Every structure is written in structure tokens, then in C-alpha cells.
Amino acid sequence: MSLSLFPGAEAAPLALKAVRQALGRRLFGRQMLHFARVGSTNEVARRLAAQGVPEGLLVWAEEQTAGRGRMGRRWEAPRGSSLLVSLLLRPYLSPERAFLLSALASLAVAEAVEVETGLRCELKWPNDVLVNGRKCCGILVELEGKGHRIAYAVIGWGLNVNLRFEGPLAERATSLAQELGRPLPRLPLLVACLERMESWYFALRAGRDEELWAAWRARLGMLGRTVEVSTPEGPFVGEAVDVAPDGSLLVRRADGTLIPVRAGDVSVRPIAANRGLVVE
């Protein structure tokens, strides 16, 4: 088994009453749903969004049976080991600016983890949160459009809190407990994530897009590094030089061609491999 509960961790559920009391009268968490076990928190939030539930709805589960990440990947975690959360928003955004929601979520989680644990976080384009180069949180943003604006957005995130990774999986994934060498309570982490998300969401609503974008971009550890990119059109290698205003990763190939990557899987090559790339 490559995934298990970290030794000493208690898989006690995040009780609805405790979360409500900790959040107080915030917009995020105005309505809440808690499941011991559910297919996907994102699916629950999307179904309720379609029924007209207002923004701020918070859905979380102790275990998911059909959790999803980017590009259709499964997201698995033992019961009570992680934060498996979805948040419903109704932002006044055009679809062209939707990437700001993904940036907002990943930035907020990184800031929350740093405040609660002291662990330094980097971001991997477009929205993975890394600790010591390994993934500790994945984010999935799903949208529904209405004309030229977003009708609703569901931000789902899975944060590895008290997980133990073994075998090949441990080379690319980690948990906060594994990095600290001790289990952590999940409630303070959930509250911190929501506080940072709400703060950045209000900043976005106030028109402070550039501030959000700059803070997110500053944490992209792959900029200036050699990356391998897998896209529907095929893989290629280049240098990640910047991010475009629409959220695309700009990758310069060895022949000097600048490629905007809007969707795909991007991985950083080891430092030794970087020396072999000639960029014109």
C-alpha cells in the first residue's frame, strides 16, 4: 500500500459545528455540507450551484470515492487524512479571466500552509502546491458559463495533511505531516485556507487583479527552468520564461519559438539536464 494514515494521526471527522464556530460570519462557509463519504465534493457543489444556491457554499468530505484532479486523474486519500473541499463562487468575471480563480486558490493554500506549518511552498503551473519539490495539494476549478460571463465556479482542493507516502509515489507527492515528521490538526488548516481565499477573492472583486497575478507568479518555481511539456499536440522541451496575461505558460523552445501552453502537463527537468539546453 503506497498511501496510509500518518503514524499517530487521528482520523476524527471535521465536525460541522466546529467548522461553523471557527469560521464565524464569513462569506465562505455561509452554507456547509459535510460528508463522511461521497463520490466527489465538486459534483455535489456543482449540482447545488445549478439549483441556484448562493456563493459561499462549502462542501467537504472525510473520504471521496470518485475524487478528480486535473486532466481526469483520480485523487485518493484514506479517510480523515486530508482536506477534501469544494467551494462555490459566483464571480463577476469573463471566461477569459477565469484563470485568476485557479491562481487565487493555489496562492491561498500556499500562504495558509506557510502560516500554519512554517513550511515554504512553491507553485507549479497552473495550480499545484509543492513542498520541497513534491506535490502536497492539487486544485480543480470547474466553470459554468452564461453568455459572456461565468455563471458559477466550483473550486475543489485536496490538501495532503496526515498522509504517509511510500514507494515510487513518495518521489513526487508528500504531505504536511511527512514533511514535519508529526501529524497536524486539520481544522486550523481549513480555516486558514478559507481566510486567505476569501481575502484574495475580495481583492479580485475590488479590481486588484494585478496584485493577485503578481503574488501567484512570484511563487512559480519553474520560471527560468527547463521543462518538459505534454500537450494534446505532442510533447516538447523548452525554457519556462513567463506567464501570459491569460494564464498561459510561455515556453521557449531551443529554436527560439515561444509557445503559449494553455493546457497540458508540465514537469521541471533536473538541474543537470538544464545544462544541455541551448536557448537562442
Side-chain angles (χ1 to χ4, degrees), residues 45-262:
R46 289 181 64 185
R47 184 171 66 249
L48 292 171
Q51 295 172 12
V53 171
E55 71 174 356
L57 170 70
L58 187 66
V59 182
W60 77 93
E62 303 304 321
E63 183 181 10
Q64 291 185 118
T65 58
R68 305 189 314 279
R70 288 182 63 245
M71 304 178 71
R73 296 189 179 101
R74 286 178 60 85
W75 188 275
E76 298 180 2
R79 179 172 294 195
S81 67
S82 306
L83 289 179
L84 307 172
V85 191
S86 294
L87 175 68
L88 169 62
L89 299 179
R90 295 188 182 276
Y92 290 97
L93 281 176
S94 65
E96 293 76 21
R97 297 170 64 218
F99 86 94
L100 289 170
L101 298 174
S102 178
L104 176 158
S106 56
L107 175 61
V109 171
E111 291 176 341
V113 168
E114 287 186 351
V115 168
E116 292 299 318
T117 69
L119 293 169
R120 173 64 184 167
C121 296
E122 274 189 356
L123 300 180
K124 175 189 171 187
W125 182 90
N127 54 22
D128 286 346
V129 182
L130 310 182
V131 175
N132 291 324
R134 294 181 294 175
K135 182 174 177 176
C136 70
C137 181
I139 291 164
L140 178 65
V141 179
E142 297 184 291
L143 308 171
E144 183 67 30
K146 185 178 182 181
H148 298 291
R149 68 177 182 87
I150 297 170
Y152 66 80
V154 173
I155 298 176
W157 72 97
L159 176 60
N160 301 332
V161 182
N162 293 322
L163 269 173
R164 179 170 64 178
F165 291 89
E166 297 176 305
L169 195 57
E171 297 176 8
R172 60 182 187 275
T174 190
S175 73
L176 305 184
Q178 200 148 342
E179 294 298 320
L180 292 171
R182 57 177 173 82
L184 292 90
R186 291 182 298 153
L187 180 58
L189 283 163
L190 174 61
V191 172
C193 286
L194 291 167
E195 286 177 345
R196 295 309 304 147
M197 283 189 192
E198 186 166 306
S199 177
W200 279 116
Y201 186 57
F202 286 151
L204 186 61
R205 294 203 323 194
R208 291 156 50 198
D209 303 23
E210 290 299 321
E211 182 182 341
L212 168 60
W213 187 89
W216 168 73
R217 181 191 177 281
R219 287 183 180 266
L220 292 175
M222 61 175 49
L223 295 185
R225 303 277 301 276
T226 302
V227 296
E228 297 183 26
V229 184
S230 298
T231 71
E233 293 75 32
F236 68 93
V237 175
E239 180 192 4
V241 295
D242 209 342
V243 182
D246 67 352
S248 301
L249 182 67
L250 301 177
V251 180
R252 181 179 291 121
R253 303 181 66 158
D255 63 3
T257 306
L258 195 63
I259 308 293
V261 180
R262 296 179 178 85

